Each structure stands twice: as structure tokens, then as C-alpha cells.
Amino acid sequence: MILTTTPNVEGQRIKEYLGVVAGEAILGTNFFRDFFANIRDIVGGRSGAYEKELRRAREIAFQEIQEEALRVGANAIVGIDLDYEVMGETGSMLMVSVSGTAVRVE
């Protein structure tokens, strides 16, 4: 599956547009990781716990978008857009959404 943020695939012609596809992942982080992430943020370090959760959410969202594209017969997704949101009253949930246009290229 070809994945790109551009509106086309260089060197290939879009044969058919198959519609918009999307994938979402919402993951909660646990209290201890939040607590230690806040301490690392205070001392200027990187928050490995949050980075790991964001990476995991992004992988899930990309997996979903590819599965949806395969279901409609696509071999590529163009115009991919990624969005990140913090959710929940305490900001303890992370949401990653990915969308794009499923296409068949030749």
C-alpha cells in the first residue's frame, strides 16, 4: 500500500478514486506514566511515555486506514492528513486521526 500526504503518486497515474478513508485511535495513559511524564517535563527531559503512546496510537490509526482502503480495492492512499488531540477532563487520553483518499494507481 502506497501512503502519501501528496495529492498524487509521482510516476504513477491515478486510475480510480475510491473515496475518503479514515482511521482513529484513542488511547488512555495511566496515572503513574502521567505523573512521571510531568516530572520529566519540568526538568526539561523528553516524555518517553507519551511518545510511546502517540506512536502506538498513530500505528493503530494507520493500520485502520489501510484496512479500510483495502476493503474498497485501493492500492494507495493520497492526501493523508494526521491530527492529534488531547481528550478527557484531565487530558489523559490521546487521539490520533488519519484520513486520506483511497485510490487505485497504475
Side-chain angles (χ1 to χ4, degrees), residues 40-52:
R40 280 191 291 271
D41 289 343
I42 291 170
V43 297
R46 291 175 59 174
S47 174
Y50 278 135
E51 289 174 359
K52 182 178 178 182

Side-chain angles (χ1 to χ4, degrees), residues 13-19 72-75 101-106:
R13 183 173 84 66
I14 294 177
K15 181 179 177 182
E16 185 177 3
Y17 289 87
L18 301 166
V72 297
N75 63 357
T101 303
V103 298
R104 190 169 303 125
V105 296
E106 54 181 23

Side-chain angles (χ1 to χ4, degrees), residues 13-94:
R13 183 173 84 66
I14 294 177
K15 181 179 177 182
E16 185 177 3
Y17 289 87
L18 301 166
V20 173
V21 289
E24 298 87 17
I26 300 173
L27 301 176
T29 57
N30 79 24
F31 171 78
F32 292 109
R33 279 192 278 188
D34 287 348
F35 176 76
F36 289 114
N38 288 334
I39 290 173
R40 280 191 291 271
D41 289 343
I42 291 170
V43 297
R46 291 175 59 174
S47 174
Y50 278 135
E51 289 174 359
K52 182 178 178 182
E53 288 301 306
L54 276 171
R55 188 175 307 112
R56 186 169 146 231
R58 188 174 56 245
E59 289 169 359
I60 291 168
F62 267 104
Q63 181 179 345
E64 285 186 4
I65 194 174
Q66 289 179 74
E67 289 171 359
E68 190 174 337
L70 285 171
R71 273 194 298 278
V72 297
N75 63 357
I77 304 171
V78 297
I80 291 176
D81 180 51
L82 286 96
D83 290 309
Y84 297 89
E85 292 287 331
V86 177
M87 301 175 66
E89 284 184 32
T90 61
S92 62
M93 299 187 81
L94 305 168

